[in-house]
Structure formats: structure tokens, C-alpha cells
Amino acid sequence: MAFPHRLDAPELPDFSMLKRLARDQLIYLLEQLPGKKDLFIEADLMSPLDRIANVSILKQHEVDKLYKVENKPALSSNEQLCFLVRPRIKNMRYIANLVNADKLAGRIRKYKVILTPQKFYACEMVLEEEGIYGDVSCDEWAFSLLPLDVDLLSMELPEFFRDYFLEGDQRWINTVAQALHLLSTLYGPFPNCYGIGRCAKMSYDLWRKLEEEEDGETKGRRPEIGHIFLLDRDMDFVTALCSQVVYEGLVDDTFRIKCGSVDFGPEVTSSDKSLKVLLNAEDKVFNEIRNEHFSNVFGFLSQKARNLQAQYDRRRGMDIKQMKNFVSQELKGLKQEHRLLSLHIGACESIMKKKTKQDFQELIKTEHALLEGFNIRESTNYIEEHIDRQVSPIESLRLMCLLSITENGLIPKDYRSLKTQYLQSYGPEHLLTFSNLRRAGLLTEQAPGDTLTAVENKVSKLVTDKAAGKITDAFSSLAKRSNFRAISKKLNLIPRVDGEYDLKVPRDMAYVFSGAYVPLSCRIIEQVLERRGWQGLDEVVRLLNCSEFAFTDMAKEDKASSESLRLILVVFLGGCTFSEISALRFLGREKGYRFIFLTTAITNSARLMEAMSEVKA
Amino acid sequence: MDCYTANWNPLGDSAFYRKYELYSMDWDLKEELKDCLVAAAPYGGPIALLRNCGRKEKAASVRPVLEIYSASGVPLASLLHWNLSPPQWKSGPVVALGWSAEEELLCVQEDGTVLVYGLHGDFRRHFSMGNEVLQNRVLDARIFHTEFGSGVAILTGAYRFTLSANVGDLKLRRMPEVPGLQSAPSCWTTLCHERVAHILLAVGPDLYLLDHATCSTVTPAGLAPGVSSFLQMAVSFTYRYLALFTDTGYIWMGTASLKEKLCEFNCNIRAPPKQMVWCSRPRSKEKAVVVAWERRLMVVGNAPESIQFVLDEDSYLVPELDGVRIFSRSTHEFLHEVPVASEEIFKIASMAPGALLLEAQKEYEKESQKADEYLREIQELGQLVQAVQQCIEAAGHEHQPDMQKSLLRVQQKDVSDEDVARAINQKLGDTPGVSYSDIAARAYGCGRTELAIKLLEYEPRSGEQVPLLLKMKRSKLALSKAIESGDTDLVFTVLLHLKNELNRGDFFMTLRNQPMALSLYRQFCKHQELDTLKDLYNQDDNHQELGSFHIRASYATEERIEGRVAALQTAADAFYKAKNEFAAKATEDQMRLLRLQRRLEDELGGHFLDLSLHDTVTALILGGQNKRAEQLARDFRIPDKRLWWLKLAALANLEDWEELEKFSKSKKSPIGYLPFVEICMKQHNKYEAKKYASRVGPEQKVKALLLVGDVAQAADVAIEHRNETELSLVLSHCTGATDGATADKIQRARAQAQKK
């Protein structure tokens, strides 16, 4: 259990520096507004902020009261207001309304707006249009990388996914480039760079440009991280759409891990209170089970509980002196472990109640059938029943998308009937949801034969137009086929089963999906690292519709140490799942690498679907 | 003009060098140049002199005077150095002077403080080169230029180097120690390699290269033996080449990496030269070095003979991109390789197209018909364009206005901007510190808009091109450039310009061809200008998005039911136009449903509006309106299966077991009877569940029986089916003693099956 790393596994760089940088900058900004002030924080930023500067730090810098930015009038009576928000137009309007209300009431206050991770011109434009540009001061808090764990950095930008992959909005690419630039400033240049995807390519190019503009600061430094791999989420929607069955993924699917911590409700804590628990490598119990297939976890935890009991039991034969030692040295640790153990056992029980039911088994069975491409009719019927019974709008949508991507689109009859059923179950506004899904390439109709429709032709021409090389057309995905089946065959994603797959001793990354499927994203990364580039993967790249956007860039003079060459930073643009993280951690252990993850946000199937769903306000 | 080539001196077989006067100097120097610290800005820039510059032997009472002159010697400023600077810096004497790429004068003081003055002697700012420099004092200093700006390199009294590659963004870098260095190097220079500044220094017969991590010894490729010391070194303007002058009077010329030798020359003069600089230009034929002693100037290249000049006065050399400037008390001269274009045109008996064209022009001035003959000849050869280009290029290299004019006159009026821009580019290349957007701005300032645009094409950073393009009202081009830069804020800025500048139709048309900008603008409109968004879709005939837009409006902006239905109608029409019949039909269904929900609310009270079709039917059943529910299901063609699931859930929810049973018997269930068992058990009604368990088909019978807890009967069925999966399923439900007998029975059945 909890496979140890190989002895020669490289040390991870210390990412706590990123937190210190962010904290210092925030304090500097707060001090720019001397004296007491109230701080208005956007809800999405509360958890990330808490990981950087807790309330007492804020108080030290004269933050008086904290408010959440919400659609309610502010009751603050402070003379100075500070807003800490994402650069979104709706936030600007909120601030403008507040300032304008003060003006009407003849009230004079000082306002400061801190936008993070960066300012956008459009936001300042809105302040101007609303007539308050001169009344507020605008600053930028370049907080773009939150270390959630020793090997996991998150930009905490869930909207990246919708903005880029649905709306074709490229604003965040600059933020990504800036974040990469920061990393190379702190941890040295990356001698080997690989990537796939349009967004990956653009981010990479922009990042390079930034490095060139600055005086080769990183040039002389020795690289700490030998490789970087950038990957667009739309290279692999399938993996993100699957139900997760490794512990950390399952906890995320069941309870939603938010910014590295989870709220365990009374059913888990077996008390009347909810408990917020930080889930990371520091939680020794969690660290041992996070990457495990769920079927092993309960057994492991009970064994652990028995061991713990044995430790406690040692007290029985002790004399006073030994007892004193025990109490002062061991008891605290044991109690802590005890507390964590009971929490995770509680979580497990709660998950088992929900997930080991027959329903869940059938769901997994259907998913596996879709991945392997057999019994399509049966799966389609299953999905239809799922919709008819109103089991869950998000789950139904997820299954429809999984069917569509694995099958290169739904056949026209199913496409119509599933959509009709869905609209009847969940409301007509989902016409827009379907339009979104189609645009993102998540739920499409099989084109009759291989001929493209006139629209698609026009669009695909636009996309391949050389002059439009940098252009993302929002509809580009229309011209693409997912080709999942062919890719799966090429990359051997469905392992051949000879006998039972031993989930306790996994033999490949497929264990994260019960041995049924190797995550495509992780397989691509594995293959490219092995080949040190894309040689021999031309066909895969073509099937991924990415011939123009697969790149390799290797430094000529390699100053990197052999240790750093086994450190790999994987950048997921559009989010990554815990299953992918677990799979790559496994790969790392097998090969003596360590992976570091940088993601725009942690995602899972439900978050992907919610990002695409149209909801009535 | 016939002796135009009189001052051409050949160096080897291929190249000529010429030296000619640029200005006679207007300055009225009281001292000799050699008694001053001298600094001349590159690109023909100003000259700074610091007199009485506080060398230790000078009396302390004589105050240093800083004077700034234009290149032709016109006084620009004169000040008592450090009179204008705040008193706390009256610390040390000035060790070195130099001009930054922005034409700011940098004065490096002995204590490492650098004072910065403007072109007119105005004090700008100061900065320090760090504590180490302060402690050990400055022994020597250089101001150098890189593509990022201007840097300062310091040699301290402890024989250590400190440098900053860009004084605009001061980052001090202390270079590593040279092991065992006990005295100052005999000569040193800064190199710039792969965007990083290095120091090359000579100590005795050894050369050391410092980057900011390591000190390595280097040996020039093919260096002649017997060198015991290097007296001078010179790096070329673009940092590509290096020349070394040794104590044996030998000159080595090669690449700055020292890995490749271009040529070598033995001048047989062992006296250390006063100055040595490179003399070349982008695309020059030869690469030569100019060496100056007290009264002698020598041009040395890949040729057995050198070119020699006598210097009448104390002179100072300024390396330039395209040659070398030489100034003294009375004159300011330029020495360079004769450019190819000039050579072609002016070479004696040249038949190059440019030469013929110039000849034609001369005859034309004389009103001679020979002009026509010459011109005809050029045209017959099809070389007119080439001829014109040669003349323009040559004009760019000539310094006598008359000659420039006659060269330019040949093209009459059609000097194409493109050619001018190209000529400027050929001259400047991608020289560090040269900003094409600045040059373009100047061209625009002179009313040469087209030229400015052509010049901007040489600006490598597309973002830098945008502001000027906007100023020149070339907003569409600016938009393309902004998109190229990848800076979305810049794109947005241009968009707002365009929006104000163009009428709406043109604005939208522009967007249409720029999907990236379009997406950006759409995102903005979605939040801030909904009406514009609609217009955008309209303009594009994007009926699909238009339909979606009105659907959203039907629940987000419209409140009255009529308004909502109208919005849906518009949406449906749009969907038809988009040939999306599915969406159109679904929208029409929704219109019907909305109206109906409204009627239901009026007639029955309660809440129906905005429920989904499924939920509406469920709400009716829950409200006891079974008839209406049936009607609705028929009207909207709810499939049978769905209706059964729906009714099942609703009736179980009501715990109306009687009605449920009636319903189950109304006809054969399209969803089977297992769901009935499940839902009854969910409501903890085992009694009802059992009723349905008996009706479950054989395939799911075992499951049903297990659900209602009838393990024994489940076992019987499984045994009857001889189905191994079912047998193990039942077995897994056998718990404790109660089911012991059943378990045994299954085991027996299994054993029997195996026997067969």
C-alpha cells in the first residue's frame, strides 16, 4: 500500500516560496490604503486567500471587517473599502453600483480595487463607463499559482475552461504565460519543452516572448525542473468524463474538494458538526490512500485501525515511567492519527453507501462498455432510462457526452431523441446547453458519411487558413472528429485482460479506472517523454487534429543535472482530474520520475458539465 | 565628380575604404583631447568632454568641467560637474564617461556611483553599482550597449568585475573571481553572447572569459606563438567579432567566441595603440580593424598590405555600425568601406544599371539625347528597377548633399517608400537599441505615413507597432498586429478605437474577419452590451446564435408571459433560418408549454411556470389531476416509458398504493415490474413490493426476490435457471444461520452442475 518512491527519485522543489511572494505582494497592496478598511472578497477567492493570508494576517494590516461580494447592498460603515476580486465585468458593476450609491447619498469614502491575477482593460473600461474610474484606484495582485500540495500548483481559474474552450476567449493565455515565466524565474529554465493543443502552443509562444523580452534572467541559472509538458484539456475529454475510482478522485466526485480541502458533513464525522479537512501530503493517513483504487482503501484503513489499537494497547503492561514517556511522546501522534483515521473511515463508509449500490456498478459497467466500444445500443438505452428517470441532470449529460466522444458523435436518431428526452426532463433552457456542448465538441451528431456540411467546410477552412494561424474560432471543434476509437487502438488504451486485474498491485496506469482504461492524457505524456518528442506519434497527433500544435523544444546545451531531468512539470490547460494525477504519480514511481502538476483548476466530470450547462438565474 | 574615386583605398582585392570629412569642428577647445575624458554617443550622436577630470595628479582646487557638444562641435551644455548634482555625491572623481542608447550621459565615479545627465547637462538621477564597488573603488569602467539597453561594467580595485546589463532596469551582477589575479588586466572588454553579457580579460599571455557563474580560460583559434601579453582588444559593434593586439605587434581577428579566426596581420609596431576599433557594416565585403597610435592610423584586414593614414592632430575614434568616426580639434571625419552600391555606380567604367542611370540623368540635365540612349539600354536589359534601387541605396551612403540629390533625382518622383524602408533596414539591421517604431514615428511626424508603415514592418515586437498604427488611423492593421502580439488587452484597446472610428457595419465586418477579436468582443458584450451582441449575430447571419440569444432572453430578461412567448417565437424563427429544425420544434413546444402552464396556474392555482414538461406532469399527478396529466402527456407525445417511470415515482411519492396497482394493471408495463419492486422497497413497503415481485419477468426475478428479502425462493429460481452469476448473487445474500439451509442448497446445486 502507498508504494514508496524509488530511492533515486528526485526531490521536489520548494513551492512555498510562491505563497510567500503572493502574501508579501498582497500585504504591500493593503498597506497602500493605510488605516482601517473593510475588505470585500469575491466568494471564489475566499478559499485561495485563506491559503495565502489568514484573517489574523489581514487584521494585522488593518483590515477591519470582511464581506463577501454578493448581490446585496453593503452594510459597511468604514471610510475605506477595499475589493479583492477576479477581473470580471459583473464584479466591476457591483463595485460601480456601490460607489454610485454612496455618491447619491453624498457619502465620501476611499475605494481600492485589487484585481487578481491580473487587470483586464475591459474591466477598467467598465469602471469608466459607469463613471467611477476616477473614484477608485485599481491594482493588480499577480497571484496566479497556489501550491495546493507538494506536487500540485493550481491557478484556481475554473472559468478558464469555459472561457477558452467554449467562448474562444484568449485572455487567460497571458496569465498562463506569466505564471510559467514566474516559475522559470524562480526555478530556472526548462531545458525540454513539449506540448500539444492550440492553447498550449499559444501559451508557450507567449511565454517564450516574455522570456526574450526580459534580459535572459533565467539563462544562466541551472534548471531545477528538466521537462515541461503543456496539454490542452480538449485533447482528452474522455478521461475527465469518467467516474473516478481512486480515493482522492472519488472523494472529489462525492464531496467536492475545494482548494485542497473538503467539508465532511455529519454523516462522515459521525457528530452533529461538519468539519473542514485539508487534504494533502501532510495528512499521513490520506497520503497513503489517496492514489489507491477504492476497493483497497477500506481494507487498508481497517488494518491501520487494528495497528493503532495495538499501539494503544501497549499501555497495559507499562510502568509509571514508561507510561509518562508514552503520554508525552507518542500519545499526541496516535491521537492525531486516530482522528484522521476515523475521518477517512467515515468518508469511506459514506462513499460506499452511495457508490457500491447496484446503480453505481451498472453505471461503471456502462462507462466501460462505452470506452471499449461494445453494446452501444444497450448503453444508449441505459442513458435514455437515466434521463427518463431524472436520475441526475449532470450525470445524464456526462454519459451523453461520453457516448458522443467515444463514438465520433451520436447517430442522428439518437442525437435527436436523447436531446428531446433531456429537454422534457430538465427544461427547455438546455437547448443552450446542447448548443454549447456541440460548439465545444463534447456532444455532436455523426455527419452523414464523411462529407462535411457547408458550415463545417467553411469553418474548417477558416481554421486551417495559414493567415489565421493564431486565431481560435469558437467553432473550430465542429470540424474535428474525436477519433477516440482509433486513438485508443493506436495507443493501446484498453489493456488486454488476461485474468483478473490486480488492483492492489497495479501493472499500469489503467488501475485508476479499475484496469479498464489508461487515461489518454497520461498515455500521451508517457509516450512523448519516452521518445523525447513526437517522433513516431504522427498518426496520433493527426487523429487528435493537432498537427500544427504539437511541439518539442529542447535546449542545445544541457546544463541540467540528471536529478532535475527526472522532474517533469505537466501543465493542464482547462483543468486536470485527481485520477490523472494519481496515474502520473504511479508512472513516476515506476520510472523514477517525479511529476509536478500545474493546472488551471482541479476538475472532474461534474465540473466540466456544469461549466457547459445553461442554468436559469 | 570625375575624381569621385580619388579617396578610395583598396584593401586586398575586393574592398575599398575611404575617409572624408563630415564636419569641420565648431568647438573652440582650450585643451588637448588627450587631457580630457571623452565619450561620443554612437549613431553620430553628441560628444561629452570632461576637463580637469580629477586625476590624482591634478590639483584638487581645479574643478572638473563637463561639456557636451553636438557631433559638429556646437556646444550644447557646459557645467561644473557635480555642481548640479546634490552635494552628497561630491565624493569621488569620475573614472569613466559613456552614453546610453537613450542618449543619456553616464558618469561613473570612483566610489561606484553613476550620475546620469540628459543631453543638455540636466541632472536626471543616480544609482550605485553596489557595496563591493564602494569598498574597493572603481579602477576602470565601460559603458556598453546590448539589445536591452545600455549597461555598465566595472573593474574594482580588488580586480573583480561587477556589471549591470541594463541600467534602465538595474540588476547588479558580480562576476566570479579570476583565480590568482594579482594585478589589473592588461586589457578587457564586455562581450554579449546569447543575450548575456560576459567579460573577456587579458592577463599576461592568458585570456579569461567570465560569465556570471564561471571563469574559464580561452584560447583564440590559430593565435601565433610567442605572445606574452595582449595590449588591446576590440569587439565589433554587433558583438560578433573580436580583435586582439599583442605585444609582438600582431593582430588576431576572429569571431567573438574566439573559436574561429578570420585573419591575422603583423604590423611590426610594438607600441601599444591608443585605440583599436572595428570598421565594418552589415553585409560589408570585408571586416577590418582600425588601429590608432599617436600620429598614425592603420586599416587592417584580410590582406597582406594595410592602409595607412597620418594623423595631424590628437584624434579620437568612435566605432559605428557602418564605419568609424574620427574627430579631433579641427575636424570630424568618417572612415568606411565603400558600399557595394556606390562601388557599382562610381567605379571607373562601370556598366552597372545604376551607373548607366546616373549617366543618363547627367545627360538629361545637359538636355542631351544621349540620356535616352542610356535609358533605352537599361530598359532593354530589363534592369530599370534594379538601377533605381542601386541609386537609392547609394544615396543612403553618400554624405555630400549634391551627390545624394543627383542619385535621388534619377528616380524622378517615384522613390518608393518600400525601397527607402529597405535601405534604412539594410543600414541598421537589427542593431541593439534601434527601435523601428521610433523611426517610423519620426517618419510619420514628417508626413510620410506610407514610409512609416513600411518601417514598422521591421519592428520585431508586434505590440510596439500598435500605438503608432492607431495614431496613423491604420486601425485595421493595428488590430492584426495586436492579435499577433497575443496581448488581449491590446486587442481590446484597438477594438474600442475601431468602434469609435468606423460605422457599425464596417466595425462588424472587420470583426468578422478576426475571430479572436470577435470572441473577445462578444464576451464583453455578453456582460455589458446585450443589444450589440444581438446586432453582431444579425450582421453575421448567425441565426443559430441569434436563436440562442432569444431563448436566453425568454427567461432572463422578459418577465411577462406574452413577452416570453414572443421571444421564443423569434428564437424559433431564427432556428428555422439556421436550418436547425430540432431546436425550432423544441422552442415551439416550449411556447405551448408556457401558455399551458400559465393556464394551469390560473385554473388550478399552485406553481407550474418554468417547470420542465416532466415536472409539470408530475405536479399534475401529485395534485390529483390525473386526467389533465394524461392529456398533457398525449399532447406533448411523452413516450410511454417515460410516462411509466414518471407515474410510478409520483404515485409512490403519494403512497397511493391503490392507484399504483391499478396503474400497473392498466396494460403491460413497458419498463417491466422490477422498478415497482424497487420503489416500494424504497418507501419501505414490503407488502406492496411482494405483489410486484411475482410479476417480474424471469430475467430479473432473482433480483426482485432478493430485494423483498425472499432468499429461499430466490435460490430456487436461480437453481432452476442454472445461472452461475445468479447463484453467487443469492449466495452473497445468505447471511448467518437463517439462510444456512439455502446456502447448502445452492452449494449442492453447484456441485451437481459441475458433475454434469
Side-chain angles (χ1 to χ4, degrees), chain A residues 159-175:
Chain A
E159 66 252 59
F160 183 101
F161 178 67
R162 183 175 166 123
D163 282 353
Y164 179 78
F165 291 102
L166 178 62
E167 313 281 4
D169 181 342
Q170 299 180 3
R171 282 181 308 170
W172 298 118
I173 291 178
N174 183 41
T175 319

Side-chain angles (χ1 to χ4, degrees), chain A residues 1 45-46 143 159 170 221 228 251 279 287 458 558:
Chain A
M1 194 55 84
L45 276 173
M46 288 194 153
F143 166 47
E159 66 252 59
Q170 299 180 3
R221 288 202 51 170
I228 181 170
V251 169
L279 293 178
N287 199 34
K458 193 175 130 202
D558 226 341

Side-chain angles (χ1 to χ4, degrees), chain A residues 575-598:
Chain A
C576 83
T577 65
F578 282 117
S579 294
E580 288 167 313
I581 293 178
S582 290
L584 288 175
R585 281 180 184 148
F586 170 84
L587 182 69
R589 280 191 302 267
E590 292 284 293
K591 308 248 168 175
Y593 306 143
R594 293 287 301 260
F595 283 94
I596 301 158
F597 305 93
L598 194 174

Side-chain angles (χ1 to χ4, degrees), chain A residues 93 167 212 421 425 439, chain B residues 195 526-528 612 642:
Chain A
R93 290 242 290 273
E167 313 281 4
E212 276 164 26
Q421 297 308 315
S425 273
R439 216 197 289 172
Chain B
R195 324 175 69 95
K526 260 179 202 167
H527 294 104
Q528 189 73 355
S612 73
R642 171 191 291 283

Side-chain angles (χ1 to χ4, degrees), chain B residues 108-125:
Chain B
V108 185
Q109 300 196 145
E110 197 185 31
D111 63 348
T113 308
V114 180
L115 308 183
V116 183
Y117 294 96
L119 191 57
H120 296 283
D122 44 320
F123 177 76
R124 295 266 170 91
R125 63 201 161 90

Side-chain angles (χ1 to χ4, degrees), chain B residues 38-70:
Chain B
V38 184
Y43 307 108
I47 301 167
L49 299 178
L50 186 67
R51 294 192 279 117
N52 312 326
C53 48
R55 292 281 182 211
K56 291 195 174 76
E57 62 269 23
K58 291 265 170 190
S61 58
V62 188
R63 302 191 120 191
V65 181
L66 179 64
E67 288 169 337
I68 300 175
Y69 297 93
S70 78

